[in-house]
Amino acid sequence: MKKLYDVVVIGELNVDLILNQVDKFPSIGKEVLASHMTLTLGSSSAIFASNLSTLGSKVTFVGNLGHDNFGDHIIASLKSRGVDTENINRSVKQNTGATIVLNFDEDRAMVTYPGAMKYLSIQDVSDEVLKHSRHLHLSSIFLQTGIIQDVVQLYKKAKEVGLTTSLDPQWDPAEKWNLNLKELLPYVDIFMPNLTELTSLTNAVDLKSAIDKLKSFANKIVVKNGSNGAYLWENNELIHQTSFLNKEVVDSIGAGDSFDSGFIHQFLNGKSNKECLEFGALTGAINTTRSGGTNAFENLSLVKMIAKSSFNYTF
Ligand SMILES: Nc1ncnc2c1ncn2[C@@H]1O[C@H](COP(=O)(O)OP(=O)(O)OP(=O)(O)O)[C@@H](O)[C@H]1O
Ligand SMILES: [Mg+2]
């Protein structure tokens, strides 16, 4: 059967209010100034979905929003990038979440109000949407408190229906890192943490010892490491991908999600591990040439233009 969607993204949705060029970190009782402000589509899952759609994959989103202006803004942003929004619930009881981002060069401090995203549950993922998709991706598992207890069941079901699967765990704001990887990873074809998340999740000191702890039950493990590039482990083989050198980083918001979108796009095109890694590193680097997570991915021509002009890469 020809599937309606290449990827179903199950995830959190919020706006990002990004304050750039903040004088210094604010302290209690004091006020500091920022020189720029942008209101943009936030959330790891939404950045991933948008950029994947721009790259040419057919994407649908399962998520939860409030009936408010931020919710309307998110729907309009996703639609403008071609993401199907028919599987997004609008709740009258909760507000749409928001993240306030204080941006300092390549690093940032964030405060998130999760809002409606907390109430998304496995019941919101219909059998229909799984049947009509080739691949399931979930991001920010620790923000999705309505999903996390059923996450093994969700991935098991997706595999039974015949989908391939990926998971980017993202940061645990509680820093408890409570996720049963031994039960979950057998159903996750591509596990995509960054290096700090991986070592935190496995309570390991470095990449090698973290992988040693997972290798008896994991499939592909893709590990992102900022401007130091990325790794892919599978079947006892570890590949390293250097990053594309960007001399003028605007910010790295969403670089990991853009990396994921490039990787998964090529994975669904049947490309090799090495090709997927290289393209992920390219889309991660492209992300850093514009502010926010989606501005460099407005359309495919822009992505190709940046690839050529900033990284001398043609595709
Ligand atoms: N400054 C940079 N220059 C070039 N490439 C970069 C840079 N920062 C990130 N990348 C590319 O993007 C990939 C993902 O970035 P990163 O390691 O920051 O992910 P992350 O920590 O998951 O980010 P996020 O906060 O978006 O979730 C890196 O592996 C690298 O290939
Ligand atoms: Mg990340």
Side-chain angles (χ1 to χ4, degrees), residues 106 108 170 194 224-226 229-230 243-244 249 254-256 259 281 284-285 288:
E106 279 187 50
R108 56 203 182 260
Q170 294 285 20
N194 71 22
K224 292 159 280 178
N225 195 18
S243 68
F244 287 78
V249 173
F259 174 101
T288 65

Side-chain angles (χ1 to χ4, degrees), residues 276-304:
C276 295
L277 253 190
E278 181 180 276
F279 200 67
L282 175 74
T283 49
I286 286 173
N287 180 109
T288 65
T289 65
R290 297 283 193 282
S291 70
T294 57
N295 283 330
F297 291 81
E298 227 168 271
N299 55 61
L300 192 56
S301 312
L302 176 66
V303 180
K304 288 184 174 181

Side-chain angles (χ1 to χ4, degrees), residues 59 106 110 132 138 229 245 276 283 306 311:
V59 183
E106 279 187 50
M110 298 180 279
H132 286 300
L138 191 146
L245 184 64
C276 295
T283 49
I306 300 173
F311 305 109

